[in-house]
Amino acid sequence: MKTFGERLTLALKALSMSRGRLASELGVDKSLVGRWASGAVKPSAHNLERLTHVLALRCPKLTILDWEREPAKFATLFGLDDANLVSPEQTSLNLSPQLLQGARTATDFRGAAYEGFWRATHAALFERGRFCHQHGMIRRGESGLLQLDLGCPDVRYVGPLLPIDGQLCGIVVDTVQHLPSFMIFNTVSLPKIVLLDGLLLATGNALRTPAAYSIILERIGDLSGDREADDAHAASLMKTPEFIEDLTTLPSVVRQHLLRDFGPIAAASGGELMLTAMATERLSQIVASNTRIMNP
């Protein structure tokens, strides 16, 4: 069953109402509404009555008893299907409780080191010689897990990131074809993570051909702590074109890392037999180039 915070988030989305607007109409601080929506606290009886009154001005069917309704019935009050309003961070994964508990514990302990604005870089799967960027953010969601929200003008990828044994595992879905992609990242361990290096498994063409390829995520900024402002900034970053037209803007060390050779011939010369995300000297060079971007 959904928490009060998830019901409140659903209601605000249905009414196209921001947390700031609700806080203003209630005469409370926006951070309090944020804590309600995140599930950190529940409104007092007095505030719940006032909150219900404000929302009922836009949804006359809403009463104070409706906050205890089942999700589907609560959504129908707003003329909506509950499934259409579930955000990526609210979607439950049928994973073992032990795995999820371990991921939440690791997120509680180290999650802040990952939160920020990020840029993904990888080779274009079916356009030889071209490279792609997607931009977005990593942030803890209402589920207590890290959430990846990454995109460009034509597509957006969303889903949870699970810290497991020093790696970051992701299951993301694109918003166009609604297909899953799977990520495993190694981290370059610093007090604040600046580089995630890993592999992405996806079906990237009309024939649904599975493909695995290297991908890096580089930190390009820090969150402000204002969720609405951070959402707006992430949205502006996602307007950046996907394809990199000027390859001189992409350091050669990044291109070499993303397109490194592997297989029997490469292995015979001391290289990789399989495509892996092994630590290489190039990663420190990439970190150095990223640091110059963040601190010009």
Side-chain angles (χ1 to χ4, degrees):
M1 184 180 292
K2 289 181 180 293
T3 66
F4 175 85
E6 290 168 327
R7 288 188 179 86
L8 176 59
T9 298
L10 183 149
L12 293 178
K13 285 183 179 181
L15 298 173
S16 298
M17 189 177 188
S18 71
R19 294 179 184 180
R21 178 63 181 273
L22 177 60
S24 176
E25 295 195 19
L26 288 174
V28 299
D29 191 273
K30 185 169 67 174
S31 64
L32 178 58
V33 174
R35 292 198 295 274
W36 293 343
S38 70
V41 297
K42 294 182 71 172
S44 65
H46 175 65
N47 279 333
L48 181 61
E49 184 177 352
R50 294 173 63 223
L51 168 64
T52 305
H53 174 73
V54 167
L55 297 183
L57 294 176
R58 297 166 174 80
C59 178
K61 296 179 181 179
L62 181 68
T63 72
I64 201 166
L65 296 177
D66 291 319
W67 296 105
E68 302 300 325
R69 281 178 177 263
E70 291 296 325
K73 293 182 179 180
F74 185 82
T76 59
L77 293 171
F78 300 88
L80 295 165
D81 179 353
D82 175 60
N84 292 332
L85 282 176
V86 175
S87 71
E89 69 178 40
Q90 294 169 331
T91 302
S92 297
L93 294 174
N94 189 22
L95 302 175
S96 75
Q98 293 85 351
L99 174 63
L100 287 174
Q101 182 56 48
R104 286 195 171 93
T105 299
T107 301
D108 289 342
F109 177 68
R110 193 88 171 98
Y114 296 97
E115 291 185 296
F117 297 105
W118 294 81
R119 178 185 63 205
T121 309
H122 58 84
L125 275 181
F126 302 103
E127 296 195 40
R128 182 172 296 183
R130 302 191 77 183
F131 290 83
C132 301
H133 279 327
Q134 290 89 33
H135 294 78
M137 66 178 165
I138 295 174
R139 183 174 65 187
R140 275 175 286 194
E142 295 174 10
S143 63
L145 298 173
L146 291 169
Q147 301 292 326
L148 178 68
D149 190 351
L150 202 67
C152 56
D154 297 321
V155 69
R156 189 170 176 179
Y157 301 92
V158 292
L161 294 173
L162 311 177
I164 300 171
D165 292 335
Q167 294 178 316
L168 205 57
C169 301
I171 306 170
V172 301
V173 177
D174 74 75
T175 58
V176 176
Q177 300 180 80
H178 304 288
L179 295 172
S181 297
F182 306 93
M183 302 174 171
I184 301 179
F185 290 106
N186 290 322
T187 65
V188 176
S189 229
L190 294 168
K192 180 166 66 178
I193 305 300
V194 298
L195 179 70
L196 298 172
D197 169 60
L199 302 178
L200 173 62
L201 175 64
T203 54
N205 66 357
L207 298 177
R208 300 289 187 266
T209 304
Y213 51 100
S214 298
I215 182 172
I216 61 172
L217 264 66
E218 300 168 90
R219 178 186 292 275
I220 56 173
D222 299 326
L223 301 181
S224 69
D226 182 324
R227 293 184 74 88
E228 290 185 8
D230 289 338
D231 285 340
H233 185 55
S236 69
L237 289 172
M238 292 180 198
K239 294 178 182 178
T240 306
E242 180 174 24
F243 287 103
I244 304 171
E245 300 298 340
D246 182 4
L247 286 184
T248 63
T249 63
L250 188 64
S252 61
V253 66
V254 174
R255 282 177 272 161
Q256 292 167 15
H257 182 72
L258 296 176
L259 290 179
R260 60 193 183 277
D261 197 11
F262 67 96
I265 295 176
S269 302
E272 298 179 59
L273 179 61
M274 302 291 185
L275 179 60
T276 66
M278 296 288 288
T280 71
E281 293 181 1
R282 295 194 191 99
L283 294 180
S284 61
Q285 295 173 291
I286 296 172
V287 169
S289 66
N290 174 265
T291 301
R292 287 194 294 272
I293 291 172
M294 286 196 66
N295 303 287

